[in-house]
Amino acid sequence: MQGKGLITIVAIVLGLICLNELLPTWYTSKIESQIEAAKGNEKEIKRIKEDTLNLGYTKLYYSKAKDKEMKLGLDLKGGINVLLEINQRDLVNDLTNYSTNPVLIEALNKTDEAQKNSTKSYIDNFFEQFDAVNKAKGTNLKLADPELFGNTNLSEIKYNTTDEQVKSIIKRRIDLSVGTAFEVIRTRIDKLGAIQPNVQRVPGTARISVEMPGMKDIDKVKKMLQTSAKLQFWEVQQIPEIAPYFQTLTTMVAAKGDSMGVAKNVNFMNLLQLDKLRTNGVANVKLSDTAAVNKILNSKVGMALRPANIKYTQFMWGYKPEATSPDDLVLYAIRSNINQKAPVDGAVETANISYDELGRIVVDMQMDSKGAKEWKTLTEKNVGKPVAVTLDNRVYTAPNVVGAIPNGRTQISGNFSQEEAKELVDVLGAGKLPAGAKVVQATQVGPSLGQESINAGMISFAIAFLIIIVYIIFYYGGAGVYAVIAMVINLFYIFGIMDSGDFTLTLPGIAGIVLTMAMAVDTNVIIYERTKEELFAGKSILEAYKDGFKHALSAIIDGHSTTLLTAVVLFFFGTGPIKGFALTLMIGIIMTLFTSVLLSRVMIFSRLNKGKTLSVWTPPTKNLFRNTWIDFIGKRKYAYIISAVLTVVCIISIATHGFKYGIDFTGGRNYVVRFDKEVNANDVEEKLVKLFKTEDGKNSSVEAKTFGNSNQLKISTDYLIEDESLKADQTIEQKLYEGLKGELPANITLNDFKSADKDHAGIISSEKVGPTVADDIQTHGILAVVAALAGIFIYILFRFRKWQFSLGAVAALFHDAVIILGTYSLLHKYMPFNMEINQDFIAAILTVLGYSINDTVIIFDRIREYLREKKSLTLAGLFDDSISSTLGRTFNTSFTTILVILAIFIFGGDNLRGFMFALLIGIGFGTYSSIFIASAIAYDFLKKGKEEEVHGKTTSDKEVLASK
């Protein structure tokens, strides 16, 4: 065999690389098992951790191996994942030097609205809106105008720079700013102490994906990442200036409270508690009343009533309650201007924890040169008056200025604990973000759930692998043993490549690997079925295997290429778990081609060339499907009727019942809550609906459904989904805790509830998807399906040279997709597992398309072969012969794949059941459609109206005998 030596060398080198990459994972697992066994013996644990493994060419230490071990996703290890979005409006404002040009302001406002339902980047939308507003107002402003981007912040823009050039410069500057934000975020994560964090920019957006396995405190993470560290200093307005306005508001609330978001009987002055005020603030408000005060101050009525002296005033809350008033929060009136730019807005060069003369914890800091100059000017101007120090619109302190501060050194006090002061120092030390950031998507998985997922994944993996081993050896005998060897090597390569590429293994990734095993079976089935045909034709064992590999190659390449195409589409259009699934599937497909086609060939022919035999069947399976012949073409009209009825039922259900959309398509929050007893989902839902009410008194959407075990609920809501602040997240968790308190253990606290583990009840996983992200996911999902169908159509057309084959293939895929969608529409209310339309479902649809086209390609490949070799047959007979001759391959591949999917469905855990159910339906109907839809439609359009229908066996007796 040509190339035998090269294939062997490649296999050995690849194996050694994979072994070297996987050794740290094995060693870490070994050490951690020993640590677990020595639990409580600190001296022994220390000894174990300091142990080394000398491999000759390198030494393995626990800490070093831990850094190099295979990365596990949150669903396997537990942890936190957040998607941050940098506020691009802030970036544009900064680049225009906070211009107040009305065309600019209107364009920015319209861009904010357009962004809610757009997949374009913010800056592209802004330029579109600016051009539209500029044209509508007839202002003919150029982007290089000094009131816009032609200012001192952008020296490369001159008065004669064209709009197109300005657009290019701005896009580049914004991209650089997002890059700066990325570096700042990465530095902050290092300070959080996350192990094996994964920080990535999302291409083409201002988003940054952050994954931190093992982290538990999501509030701390969000706060650390969202804080812009934009330290600002402002002049403070005091009671004499603000009091008349407050008196006016008090009268107006009594008259128009409803339109201001509060009841008319609310006494605004009483809420302010001015008699308790002991600081430079303007009110001392109970924590429970802060929301009402915000509504009044920010209402349209309240804004319209502002007198000239406080027209641009910003009302900001203190960072936290004062030590003397733990239940109150101070409200400050910050003197601002039309563009709301702070007098001092500089970055901090150094920050550290210190103590004041009373022994209280404070943060000492040194500003950069720009900030130091501005700080000197501000303090000179305000000697004897208060100046507020703010961070992200929260007032940390507002002391009176004793004298001018010339050197940029200052101190922040704020009733800090040691931990709070450290967090602030870490944030300031990591540098400031160029703009504000908000969490638009967040996922938290508890460590106990992660371990359960590992266990479920490994059990399903082991069962699926055992099923395949037993079946393939039972069916193909000795040849099956070589298939299993190739499959084991394939798995070893997949894990090794995943580890060497620093890719993250997720639960969907394990599903991708298991499905890759099914693909490997398919490859071997195609080769061995062709080999059996050659043996039945009277060839020697050596010649039969040679021709078997030769004739199978075309079908294998076509089938794998279409599945690879689907995986590539999934990878580029998918997000999060879909990418993990697609990545492992791509690696698996490529390795399957290498191990099952090339390496398996080398091993088999090494045996055969020594004169040894190798069976390709066992006594029970030798003649299975051998003489099976079915008049498929003659029965196609019955299939058309069945498919038409099913399709119509599915379309009617989709039109009338619709779907249950997941939050990644609609936006919202999911919480999986575990209890210490059985709970009734309907009772819980009724309680929560009463709590989750919007400001206008309407009920938000709330759904509670049993998730897996009867002591677990999956609770979904769109309450406050437009509010992407940390406070909104905390408000929902508080309401959830209050609503579920009756079902929880009596002594459980809110903090316990928010981070449950195996020892107590509470939230074991949570997920939040903002509306803009949901819109992007939905659009990308639709694009993925369309791109996959278009790609498959083009590939089939290119390979088979006839549009009739492409039409048949795509029609079958459309049929499969409609059936799956219809099934989910019909059954989503009744099934005990998740049947939401979400990005996992899109992954399932595309996987089914890949498998279905694989089946179709095998049949089409045989039809193409027979079109060359059996020209005496009628077209109907040729199609029937082609389909009948591939029945062995079709049955074995579909049967083993369905067995594998069933194993994952039953044992793979709750998170994968909906995904696997879609695959079960899809693989079943995909096999059916390959025979009865794809082939039948290709036949009908190839026939071109010729009356040549012949039913029954259409081959001549001689041809039948020759084929036996």
Side-chain angles (χ1 to χ4, degrees), residues 204-266:
T205 70
R207 292 172 182 166
I208 299 168
S209 173
V210 180
E211 188 170 280
M212 289 164 284
M215 292 295 290
K216 295 180 181 179
D217 193 342
I218 194 165
D219 286 352
K220 180 179 178 180
V221 169
K222 286 179 181 177
K223 182 180 174 184
M224 185 78 162
L225 298 183
Q226 285 182 274
T227 300
S228 69
K230 205 169 190 178
L231 201 66
Q232 296 176 319
F233 298 79
W234 306 82
E235 292 181 356
V236 177
Q237 294 173 276
Q238 295 184 277
I239 282 291
E241 287 183 84
I242 308 298
Y245 173 58
F246 283 170
Q247 291 289 355
T248 304
L249 282 179
T250 302
T251 304
M252 191 55 66
V253 169
K256 295 185 177 181
D258 294 343
S259 60
M260 301 174 79
V262 295
K264 290 181 181 180
N265 61 357
V266 169

Side-chain angles (χ1 to χ4, degrees), residues 303-318:
M303 297 295 286
L305 288 171
R306 287 191 176 196
N309 69 317
I310 63 167
K311 184 176 180 181
Y312 301 115
T313 295
Q314 296 185 62
F315 288 101
M316 295 185 190
W317 295 102

